[in-house]
Amino acid sequence: MDDLRETFAGMTPDDTDRAVDALEGMLAALPADDADPVDRATRAGVGGFVVGYHANHT
């Protein structure tokens, strides 16, 4: 997740908002595979990042 944070640190606030909204949209649109541990971990990490971003920027 450090690479993701570094990527977002170099973006403008508007670009970052759009990217976070896109990540949130992808999580909502793509079906979850609860049997796949990689899918669960990826969704947990990205979902946590999105929630944290919104909590710190709203």
Side-chain angles (χ1 to χ4, degrees):
M1 291 301 283
D2 285 338
D3 291 337
L4 185 60
R5 287 187 193 98
E6 290 169 7
T7 298
F8 278 81
M11 297 171 73
T12 67
D14 287 342
D15 288 342
T16 303
D17 288 343
R18 282 194 296 276
V20 170
D21 289 344
L23 287 170
E24 190 172 29
M26 285 185 265
L27 286 177
L30 297 171
D33 182 359
D34 291 332
D36 182 357
V38 173
D39 185 67
R40 285 196 319 269
T42 301
R43 285 180 173 277
V46 173
F49 179 83
V50 169
V51 168
Y53 179 83
H54 286 303
N56 291 312
H57 293 90
T58 55

